[in-house]
Amino acid sequence: MSQAQEEKDPSALKFPKGFLWGAATAAHQIEGSPLADGAGPSIWTRFAHTPGMMLNGDTGDVACDHYRRWKDDVKLMRELGLQAYRFSVSWSRILPEGTGRVNQAGVDFYSRLVDELLANGIEPLLTLYHWDLPAALDDRGGWLNRESADWFAEYGSVLYRALDGRVKKWVTLNEPWVITDGGYLHGALAPGHRSKYEAPIASHNLMRAHGAAVQAYRAEGKHEIGLVVNIEPKYPATDSAEDAAAVKRAHAYMNEQYLHPALLGHYPPELKEIFGDAWPDWPAEDYALIKQPLDFVGINYYTRSITRAAESYPLNTGVVRNPLGTYTETGWEVFQQGLVDLLLWFKKTYGDLPVYITENGASFFDPPVADNGRVRDPLRIDYLRKHIGAIHDAIEAGVDIRGYMLWSFLDNMEWSLGYSKRFGIVHVNYGTQERTPKDSARWYSEVIATHGTKLADPLPY
Ligand code: BGC
């Protein structure tokens, strides 16, 4: 993106009427008290208590203590002016054994949260699955078991019956790619498996579960449901034919593996090349289940990757660093043009489906304790400003983008990296649980209050 494009005249910025400004979190990353009020353990409770799996031995047992502080957290959202809040439900609070017996106390927790959001004028976006499978279901094979599609539809139906109407925007899965790549191929995320043979099966069952949950929603619910994927544009490291082929494979593996079956009803052919004899030939009826009409797609965007041909891809990712790039604390290059490229690719490939940006944000170093009520985070502001600008460019280019859910409302447990990475616009002091809106939160409040028109203003802090 040129300098001129980046520093555009604020009066030129215009977001569509009704464009929703919000922030996102996920249950296991913020709630704490994972076993409270009759909840069952999830694979994340188990994984975090397995020695050696989590950085610094961190766990989600306390996290941001949101399970007890939810009311104050909603108050803070309102003070910041958030119009929407994307959160996830912990399946094992609702169904402690994963199926069968409903734990009413778990349903009540989310019901109260939704009521509080609505009372504060904040629209809830509910994600059914953000990675915390009930441990009881993992004991039955987890996502490797074909029955998982029925389990997931049963779980979804309990929530649809309890909350549809108050919740009008539903998401089935958050990031099936990360669930499989992290949980079944590389093993860095729960349940910590490392198997090229399991990965395609887990992915496929996740997509069948997505389809079954959408079908169940059409029977019970009356509003909108979609799928959230993380996508990342791939650019070649050199202009060699090998790197061009590697980019094509990486793009299929990460960007098309889930969107193609969900929206087009087939997998990209490269997956068979990548997985070889580990890639099964699925029955035709599976594709019919997976491809359900969706009301929207949620896109999570953090970075791009520069890719070179690599032996034993995808175990070896072939990602190359840009020596001139700015990188975040999680080692991700700041590259907002990637978001524009990707949204244009999405529109060209899948048509005019409404899109929400359901996650976007950055971890940069912030001190563990706020400095007299203040956390200065200019790098985060810069990141957000560039990416919201990129969304604006994509809207101008004709992509139907309906809202932006920044990641994240609070600093939280960054999965196996524990509390070492802070993504929040609200700082959490993990010693006292004190919340301090960072400068980025004040900046984002102003963006919301001006409906994005103040984006290009010089930073006021
Ligand atoms: C996930 C979040 C995670 C964030 C930053 C996304 O992949 O949905 O749970 O914290 O990225 O890594």
Side-chain angles (χ1 to χ4, degrees), residues 6 8-22 81 83 384-393 395-396 404 443-457:
E6 240 181 76
K8 42 174 118 178
D9 171 9
S11 59
L13 285 192
K14 202 164 183 296
F15 284 84
K17 204 166 167 271
F19 184 90
L20 263 188
W21 300 96
Q83 298 169 347
L384 296 172
R385 179 167 165 268
K386 286 176 168 149
H387 286 80
I388 297 174
I391 292 165
H392 185 262
D393 287 351
I395 293 172
E396 281 195 327
Y404 177 74
W443 175 84
Y444 189 47
S445 286
E446 220 171 300
V447 170
I448 299 173
T450 61
H451 203 51
T453 54
K454 280 275 197 77
L455 207 58
D457 277 357

Side-chain angles (χ1 to χ4, degrees), residues 74-397:
V74 174
K75 187 164 168 259
L76 186 50
M77 289 174 207
R78 185 200 179 127
E79 281 162 17
L80 295 177
L82 298 189
Q83 298 169 347
Y85 174 52
R86 174 175 177 244
F87 64 97
S88 78
V89 170
S90 159
W91 185 342
S92 54
R93 289 197 197 281
I94 307 300
L95 294 149
E97 290 87 32
T99 56
R101 185 178 62 89
V102 173
N103 176 36
Q104 193 54 41
V107 178
D108 291 346
F109 170 72
Y110 295 104
S111 178
R112 283 192 297 269
L113 174 66
V114 165
D115 282 346
E116 191 70 12
L117 289 166
L118 294 173
N120 283 279
I122 300 167
E123 162 139 36
L125 270 76
L126 188 156
T127 303
L128 292 174
Y129 188 70
H130 202 127
W131 310 358
D132 44 358
L133 188 74
L137 294 182
D138 200 44
D139 292 340
R140 293 163 70 184
W143 295 113
L144 301 171
N145 186 334
R146 275 180 73 86
E147 284 176 31
S148 52
D150 300 330
W151 305 337
F152 191 53
E154 177 185 337
Y155 158 57
S157 298
V158 173
L159 290 174
Y160 306 149
R161 285 195 285 270
L163 300 175
D164 192 55
R166 286 184 285 156
V167 173
K168 295 187 174 144
K169 291 185 173 54
W170 296 82
V171 168
T172 55
L173 305 173
N174 178 71
E175 303 187 347
W177 182 83
V178 178
I179 298 169
T180 300
D181 186 78
Y184 291 89
L185 187 73
H186 288 279
L189 302 176
H193 296 197
R194 292 190 199 111
S195 166
K196 181 177 144 188
Y197 286 89
E198 288 187 1
I201 299 172
S203 280
H204 186 69
N205 284 332
L206 279 160
M207 293 317 289
R208 291 177 54 253
H210 156 78
V214 175
Q215 265 186 350
Y217 184 71
R218 300 301 176 206
E220 306 270 0
K222 296 193 177 52
H223 301 277
E224 297 181 359
I225 191 158
L227 170 70
V228 165
V229 291
N230 59 303
I231 44 185
E232 193 177 287
K234 311 289 177 187
Y235 303 88
T238 69
D239 55 13
S240 72
E242 290 76 15
D243 286 356
V247 160
K248 213 161 167 264
R249 277 196 296 275
H251 178 64
Y253 176 56
M254 192 162 176
N255 302 329
E256 296 175 339
Q257 181 169 195
Y258 305 94
L259 287 175
H260 263 37
L263 301 175
L264 305 179
H266 62 84
Y267 287 107
E270 288 82 3
L271 291 177
K272 208 169 170 64
E273 253 175 60
I274 295 169
F275 284 98
D277 67 344
W279 185 261
D281 286 323
W282 309 107
E285 68 258 28
D286 285 6
Y287 294 101
L289 173 63
I290 294 171
K291 188 185 167 211
Q292 297 292 325
L294 298 183
D295 301 304
F296 63 88
V297 165
I299 290 184
N300 296 351
Y301 179 82
Y302 289 92
T303 190
R304 68 154 164 186
S305 58
I306 305 174
T307 301
R308 65 172 164 70
E311 282 284 319
S312 67
Y313 179 83
L315 275 170
N316 180 355
T317 60
V319 170
V320 177
R321 247 179 113 88
N322 170 10
L324 305 178
T326 302
Y327 282 79
T328 70
E329 278 269 294
T330 44
W332 299 338
E333 186 186 359
V334 179
F335 192 73
Q336 68 275 18
Q337 181 59 35
L339 181 52
V340 184
D341 293 353
L342 200 123
L343 287 163
L344 292 175
W345 162 78
F346 179 89
K347 179 179 160 78
K348 199 171 106 209
T349 312
Y350 304 111
D352 281 323
L353 204 56
V355 168
Y356 287 86
I357 304 302
T358 34
E359 284 182 33
N360 171 247
S363 167
F364 288 107
F365 174 81
D366 298 309
V369 176
D371 172 14
N372 277 319
R374 178 135 187 222
V375 178
R376 295 168 177 80
D377 60 341
L379 293 175
R380 185 171 292 102
I381 295 176
D382 185 56
Y383 179 99
L384 296 172
R385 179 167 165 268
K386 286 176 168 149
H387 286 80
I388 297 174
I391 292 165
H392 185 262
D393 287 351
I395 293 172
E396 281 195 327

